[in-house]
Amino acid sequence: MKIELIGKRIVNIALNQIDGTDTDKKSKTAKVTLNNELYSNVKDEKLFRVRYHVVVIIESRLQIEITYDFDFRSEVEFSEDLAKSHEIRTIVPSMAYPYIKTFAEQLMLLSNLGSFNLPYFDFFSSPMEPNNS
């Protein structure tokens, strides 16, 4: 199935510096939590939106919360079955996460909070689980 990324936008950002007592200059670990919501388009049944809620925590340093919308076009109509499909759980986050990762890393750098490399995810070996809300 062909799925095409047709648009993206940041909906919300919160960056909070954490006052850590850790004076050790060792490499800080980054933890990324990713949740999603799916929305169909009432005007065009082949369009859908995935809203990612991302929390990035750099231990004893900072926390970033980002809400990022990604719009996609599919060659088939969006349905509940498609929402639970392997393609939506692997291909879609694989297309979106590089934008999220790069944005968060650049935000930290531009905020003069340090240069941190966020982890990569292999959504093909560990697909995102559907949101049960």
Side-chain angles (χ1 to χ4, degrees):
M1 171 189 336
K2 182 179 177 188
I3 297 174
E4 175 186 6
L5 176 63
I6 59 171
K8 58 192 177 315
R9 72 183 183 111
I10 302 291
V11 177
N12 191 26
I13 302 170
L15 188 145
N16 296 305
Q17 191 169 356
I18 299 171
D19 292 328
T21 57
D22 183 31
T23 57
D24 189 7
K25 297 293 183 187
K26 68 176 183 159
S27 176
K28 304 288 185 197
T29 60
K31 179 182 177 191
V32 178
T33 306
L34 203 61
N35 293 306
N36 65 344
E37 298 173 8
L38 295 169
Y39 301 94
S40 61
N41 186 306
V42 294
K43 294 182 181 178
D44 187 339
E45 294 176 347
K46 292 185 178 182
L47 299 180
F48 64 96
R49 173 172 287 165
V50 182
R51 175 169 282 180
Y52 288 97
H53 300 282
V54 184
V55 177
V56 177
I57 298 175
I58 307 293
E59 66 175 291
S60 301
R61 189 82 173 125
L62 62 102
Q63 176 177 321
I64 301 173
E65 294 182 40
I66 304 170
T67 303
Y68 211 141
D69 282 351
F70 291 87
D71 296 323
F72 294 92
R73 177 180 293 119
S74 173
E75 62 187 3
V76 298
E77 291 182 1
F78 189 78
S79 65
E80 188 172 333
D81 288 337
L82 180 63
K84 295 177 182 178
S85 72
H86 184 72
E87 288 85 357
I88 298 297
R89 296 173 44 230
T90 58
I91 295 171
V92 168
S94 293
M95 293 168 70
Y97 184 68
Y99 291 101
I100 295 168
K101 179 183 180 315
T102 301
F103 181 80
E105 289 172 344
Q106 290 297 311
L107 182 62
M108 290 182 279
L109 188 62
L110 292 171
S111 299
N112 202 26
L113 293 171
S115 177
F116 299 96
N117 292 319
L118 300 183
Y120 287 96
F121 294 107
D122 182 358
F123 295 104
F124 290 94
S125 65
S126 297
M128 278 195 81
E129 291 302 317
N131 194 348
N132 294 327
S133 54

